[in-house]
Amino acid sequence: KHSCVSIIISIATNTFVHNRHHSGKRTPLDLNFTMFRNQYDNDVTTWSPQGRLHQLEYAMEAVKQGSAAIGIKSRTHAVLASLKRAPSELSAFQKKTFEIDEHIGITIAGLTADARTLSRFMQTECMNHKYSYDVPLPVSRLVTQVGNRLQRSTIGYGRRPFGVGILCAGYDARGPHIYQIEPSSNFFDCKAQAIGARSQSARTYLERHLNEFLESDADTLIKHALRALRDCLPADVELNSKNTCLSIVGDGIPFTTYSSDAVVKHITAIDTDADAEARNAPDSNMDTS
């Protein structure tokens, strides 16, 4: 077996060198040669000499390729906003937000199929806790259990990590919560967070307005979430009821995902505010001399 592998590697190496030497162009084998010779990414249990688990890094990259998701909280509410994608013009937009319990919900970036598996696990944990103790499962305990579930996929041979990042919003006796859960099984309690493609622009907005979130009411918090989400859009795309998912949970409000009409109302509100700011802004072309 080892002899066959050595022969294959030798043939691939000789072909690679021959193509580079005679053609001077980058061939498909040339482009894939770096990944072919990486012997430390075949399994999640294999460490590289640099102390890295490449399979985990690939899972983190899958999260970065997913559509953006935003989470914000105040003293009384937590809001989730996310962009939905459609595989083609003939299909509906994929579901991005999952209700876990009356007081907890999640939105995701990455592989939707993996998210469905984890959402079912989270729903089962909440039901078991409610059945056993007749009280809702605290958000922090649920997130810890999800982290343990993800960890089992990183230490067993023959498995792969979950390729999904999760933003979890919940409300319990300690108030509202926003948690970020990574494929590496790390999780963080956040004041606000953005994950997914082009999410750096949203994080910049969140950092700039971070001090305003704590005392915001529900409507203001939703506006901040939509403005941050709008920064993640490509240049030729606008927020609308089809590609935007909006959810809220808080004091006296169970986890609720807004209908299309309610989403349109909030999108119209931020557009109106933007138009008002543009009218009140001083004209940069005005002669002040």
Side-chain angles (χ1 to χ4, degrees), residues 131-267:
Y131 179 80
S132 299
Y133 303 103
D134 199 28
V135 293
L137 178 62
V139 181
S140 59
R141 188 175 302 175
L142 175 63
V143 171
T144 301
Q145 291 171 346
V146 175
N148 294 338
R149 173 69 179 86
L150 294 173
Q151 175 68 6
R152 291 200 295 272
S153 298
T154 67
I155 59 177
Y157 181 80
R159 294 184 176 184
R160 68 163 177 83
F162 285 88
V164 62
I166 297 175
L167 289 181
C168 178
Y171 186 88
D172 55 23
R174 296 184 178 181
H177 303 275
I178 293 289
Y179 280 95
Q180 177 192 4
I181 309 175
E182 297 181 339
S184 61
S185 76
N186 289 326
F187 53 87
F188 311 96
D189 189 0
C190 305
K191 299 176 182 177
Q193 188 55 276
I195 61 175
R198 292 181 292 273
S199 59
Q200 182 56 52
S201 300
R203 284 194 292 272
T204 300
Y205 176 92
L206 296 176
E207 291 169 0
R208 190 184 308 125
H209 297 86
L210 185 61
N211 295 330
E212 303 174 20
F213 300 154
L214 200 59
E215 304 299 334
S216 296
D217 58 17
D219 288 340
T220 305
L221 205 61
I222 289 172
K223 289 181 180 179
H224 280 301
L226 290 177
R227 291 190 187 109
L229 190 65
R230 186 170 55 185
D231 290 344
C232 302
L233 289 169
D236 57 341
V237 179
E238 296 291 337
L239 289 179
N240 56 59
S241 61
K242 294 182 178 180
N243 66 5
T244 305
C245 186
L246 189 62
S247 304
I248 188 171
V249 65
D251 187 10
I253 302 177
F255 186 83
T256 304
T257 299
Y258 284 99
S259 63
S260 298
D261 293 338
V263 171
V264 169
K265 182 185 73 173
H266 289 292
I267 293 175

Side-chain angles (χ1 to χ4, degrees), residues 80-100:
L80 295 176
S82 58
L83 290 174
K84 296 185 290 184
R85 285 178 179 170
S88 70
E89 295 182 357
L90 302 178
S91 62
F93 285 84
Q94 285 188 317
K95 185 178 180 181
K96 287 269 295 183
T97 301
F98 302 86
E99 180 181 350
I100 304 303

